[in-house]
Every structure is written in structure tokens, then in C-alpha cells.
Amino acid sequence: MTVRRGKKLSISIQEHMAIDVCPGPIRPIRQISAYFPRLSPTSPGPVSPNPASSPLALSPGSVASGMGGAHLLSPLLAHGRPGGGGSLSLTSSMDTSVEINSSDSDDCTALGTLEFELRYEQSSSELHCTVLRAKGLKPMDFNGLADPYVKLHLLPGACKANKLKTKTIRNSLNPVWNETLTYVGITEEDMHRKTLRLTVCDEDKLTHNELIGESRVPLKRVKPDQTKHFHTCLEHPPPLPSPTAMGVALRGISCYLREEKDADGGLCVGVRRCAHLAAMDVNGFSDPYVKIYLKPDIQKKSKHKTTVMKKTLNPEFNEEFFYEISLSELANKTLEVTVWDYDLGRSNDFIGGVCLSCHSQGDALRHWMDCLKNKGRRVERWHILTNELPRTLSHD
């Protein structure tokens, strides 16, 4: 290699790598985990509170006699071979004993806690949720506070029909509501398979409302006619399932039957309310009404209709209809109860229906037989609406 005068000596990277190469065996490089071991919490050998008996409290003489000075940097080699069952230091043992899902961890308490009560009235098929208070909510606004409120949904099938909402508490991270929200038409089957989702949100008038956290409670944890108290940590919502995995909210109707004690006899049909109806209009609501028939109807006189309730998915009717019929004839009749969505200038949309007769099954059959056996007594039941339109009905 020749270098001219006046020019700076430059060495290429290839020449630099070839300088001072020491031939010899290549030794493996230790991993960083060898210097900072982390054993499982179930590993034997608890940490001794006495420093003198601790495996890490070794005298310099014992270390030097047991191994060379080159191994002093490895804490693991000071009291055992790599991979052996050594003991952890006091700090490491404390770190690994904290569970991720513990209620004392920062992940669970960063969003806040929610306190509420649940009570299921079996006789009236009502679920009462009393939202008491929240504590330590996550600040969502620029002033370091939030405007929280609580939304309730029944899963599966969360929609506008089964959403309930509390009032909004302004500028607070520890709001107190003491507000009771009630679901009607909750059957025992719902209590076994449904889950109540409580979502705490921050209300923003200028932008979209923001979610703070949620808590989910399986309704099977609530016993009938008993109040159960909950104090839960708010969590981030899980990822949404695919649309095919989301169920449809159960639609139901509450009605009662009463067979009159008069000499002429008769059947009184009462339509009380509907709940969780499907949204049939573009505004997210329906204009529901109820039609009832007593079939077979040769003279076409058994049709009755309730009034139309505008823009609601949980209508209250509280209307009664009377049929003059004897007990012997009633045993061979079928009561058809259907719910429709009223559309001006177009054919009305069918929402759901139920048929009560001696040939029915389940709750419909029990309701009909209880009415025939208990003359003069009002028998009220909640029925799940089916999506099948009775063959004898038309879109009138």
C-alpha cells in the first residue's frame, strides 16, 4: 500500500477488519437473561428473611473458592448452575407474586370502580338495576374531570330496544347516581343465559361521547327475589364479535286472560306492554300496535286492535278486549296475538306474534290451560314473540 505525500492516510473497512485479528476458539456470548434470572412463582426455595442464610449473601472468600473471578458478574452462577432451581432475590419474588388480573393492579383501577345492585322480581318478570356510584374515574375532559353517565345493555343482542341510561353528573370523577333502572319481560331463561353490560361514558356536547370503561355481570349470579350488591373495577371493552355471532334481542309481549263467571261466559284479553321490539323504521324506532284474533272466525268479527304507539320500541298499551264465548267453545279456539309496525301509505310490517291454544307448547300452552282451569281469575304471562307470521293472517 503506497501513500502519497500531503494526503491523509485512509484505511478501508476491509483492511480495518483484517488488523489485529486474534485467532482462537470462538466463545459463546452470554444472554442478558443469564444475569437477570426470573423463576416461576411456584419454584421451591422461599426467600429467607435472614440475610446471613440467604443464598445471595455469600462471602467473598466463598465465592472466590467456589469459582473463578470471571464468573462474579453472574448472580445465577453464584448459587447454582444456569437452569437449576435457585432462589430469587426478595425484590424479584415480590414482583412475580402480583397477578395481572388482581383488583389491586394499576390496569384494573386506572379506569375507576362502579358500585351497583341487581334484583330480579320473578312474579312480575322485572329486573331492577340500582346504579349507586362510581369512584376514581379516568379524567376525560381538559379540566381534568368528566361528565359521566351509565348505559345498560342486555347481551347477547344489545340494541336501542334494551338500552337504559342514567342521568349525567357534571364535572365529577366520583359521581353518585342512586338511580334505579328496570327491565320488564325478563324470563327465567334470560336470567340463565344473558349478561348485563354496564358502560360508563363521558358526555360531550360538541363531540361524540367517550367510553370510560365497562363491567359485565352474568344474570345467573342473581337469585330470584334477592338483592345482590356489586363493586367492580371498570375494564376496557373486549373486541367486537363478527356480525354473524351477534344474536337478536328477544322480543316479548305481556298479556293476561280472564274467563268471566257470568252465565253467558266470555273471555277478557288484556294487552299490557311490549319490550325489545325490532326497529322497523329508518329512525331506529317503530310505530307498534297489537292485533288479536280468536280463530276459527267464520263471521270475521274476532279482530281487535290496540292504538298505535309512535316512535317506541317498548310500548305501553294497557287495553282490554272482550269475547262473548262459552267455556266449551273456548277449548277449541286459538288466540292469535300479533305485533305490527304501522306505516302510512304502505303495508304494515310484521314484528312478531304468539298463538295460545290447547295445541300450543311451552308457556303459551300453560297460559291457556291456566285460564281455562281458573275461571274468573286473571292470569298474566310474558311471551316471547316469534318471527313466523300465522298462516291465517293477512297484512290488513
Side-chain angles (χ1 to χ4, degrees):
M1 180 177 60
T2 61
V3 180
R4 295 181 181 180
R5 288 185 177 182
K7 288 190 176 182
K8 189 176 181 180
L9 178 64
S10 61
I11 302 176
S12 63
I13 187 64
Q14 289 82 3
E15 294 173 336
H16 175 73
M17 295 299 295
I19 296 175
D20 295 334
V21 175
C22 180
I26 300 176
R27 298 182 180 182
I29 301 175
R30 289 189 177 276
Q31 296 182 356
I32 192 65
S33 59
Y35 297 93
F36 301 96
R38 293 182 65 87
L39 302 181
S40 62
T42 58
S43 61
V47 178
S48 175
N50 187 5
S53 61
S54 176
L56 294 182
L58 300 177
S59 61
S62 62
V63 175
S65 60
M67 61 195 70
H71 299 292
L72 290 178
L73 293 178
S74 177
L76 187 60
L77 294 177
H79 52 81
R81 296 178 176 268
S87 299
L88 289 176
S89 63
L90 183 61
T91 306
S92 300
S93 178
M94 291 177 61
D95 292 342
T96 55
S97 63
V98 178
E99 298 181 1
I100 298 177
N101 295 328
S102 174
S103 59
D104 295 333
S105 64
D106 294 338
D107 294 338
C108 291
T109 57
L111 302 179
T113 61
L114 181 64
E115 191 174 354
F116 58 95
E117 294 178 345
L118 294 179
R119 180 179 179 86
Y120 175 61
E121 299 289 346
Q122 191 172 14
S123 59
S124 58
S125 300
E126 293 180 346
L127 176 65
H128 304 281
C129 177
T130 303
V131 183
L132 299 176
R133 63 184 62 86
K135 291 183 179 180
L137 295 181
K138 179 182 177 181
M140 305 298 291
D141 299 335
F142 292 108
N143 58 1
L145 301 174
D147 303 323
Y149 66 93
V150 180
K151 290 190 303 183
L152 305 184
H153 285 100
L154 287 177
L155 304 178
C159 63
K160 292 183 179 180
N162 58 30
K163 183 184 78 171
L164 298 178
K165 178 182 172 182
T166 66
K167 60 184 178 181
T168 302
I169 306 298
R170 300 293 177 185
N171 298 326
S172 176
L173 298 180
N174 301 283
V176 178
W177 288 284
N178 288 328
E179 188 173 347
T180 300
L181 306 175
T182 302
Y183 281 105
V184 297
I186 303 298
T187 62
E188 295 183 10
E189 181 183 359
D190 295 333
M191 296 297 296
H192 285 286
R193 71 181 192 89
K194 281 189 172 292
T195 299
L196 180 65
R197 180 179 68 188
L198 299 95
T199 307
V200 182
C201 300
D202 172 58
E203 184 179 286
D204 288 326
K205 294 183 178 180
L206 301 179
T207 61
H208 296 288
N209 297 342
E210 297 177 301
L211 186 142
I212 300 177
E214 69 171 33
S215 178
R216 302 192 180 197
V217 178
L219 295 184
K220 60 184 178 181
R221 296 178 58 185
V222 181
K223 296 182 179 180
D225 302 322
Q226 294 185 13
T227 302
K228 188 171 182 62
H229 187 86
F230 294 90
H231 193 182
T232 61
C233 292
L234 296 178
E235 300 175 350
H236 292 287
L240 293 176
S242 60
T244 56
M246 299 178 64
V248 180
L250 289 179
R251 301 180 288 274
I253 183 172
S254 175
C255 58
Y256 60 87
L257 305 176
R258 184 177 65 248
E259 188 182 358
E260 300 296 339
K261 291 183 178 180
D262 301 339
D264 297 335
L267 176 66
C268 179
V269 181
V271 180
R272 293 202 59 190
R273 66 172 71 92
C274 295
H276 315 332
L277 296 182
M280 308 299 291
D281 299 334
V282 294
N283 59 3
F285 295 97
S286 294
D287 302 324
Y289 68 96
V290 178
K291 290 193 300 185
I292 59 175
Y293 290 87
L294 193 60
K295 301 293 184 73
D297 184 18
I298 301 176
Q299 299 181 355
K300 307 290 183 180
K301 295 183 178 180
S302 68
K303 174 184 173 182
H304 290 287
K305 294 171 58 175
T306 66
T307 56
V308 178
M309 299 295 175
K310 295 291 185 179
K311 294 183 180 181
T312 179
L313 301 178
N314 301 279
E316 295 273 352
F317 296 103
N318 293 320
E319 298 186 29
E320 286 187 351
F321 306 97
F322 183 75
Y323 292 101
E324 294 182 359
I325 188 173
S326 62
L327 177 61
S328 58
E329 295 176 325
L330 192 60
N332 300 322
K333 294 287 186 177
T334 298
L335 181 66
E336 294 179 348
V337 182
T338 55
V339 183
W340 299 79
D341 170 55
Y342 176 77
D343 289 325
L344 182 62
R346 297 183 301 169
S347 59
N348 300 329
D349 299 321
F350 175 73
I351 298 179
V354 61
C355 294
L356 287 74
S357 68
C358 296
H359 305 288
S360 302
Q361 296 179 353
D363 290 337
L365 177 60
R366 286 189 289 269
H367 193 184
W368 189 254
M369 297 305 296
D370 289 344
C371 175
L372 297 180
K373 293 177 182 179
N374 300 278
K375 192 172 183 178
R377 188 168 68 91
R378 169 174 164 172
V379 182
E380 183 175 351
R381 286 287 180 90
W382 182 267
H383 297 281
I384 302 301
L385 298 177
T386 61
N387 295 325
E388 298 180 359
L389 180 67
R391 298 178 181 178
T392 57
L393 288 181
S394 59
H395 293 270
D396 53 348

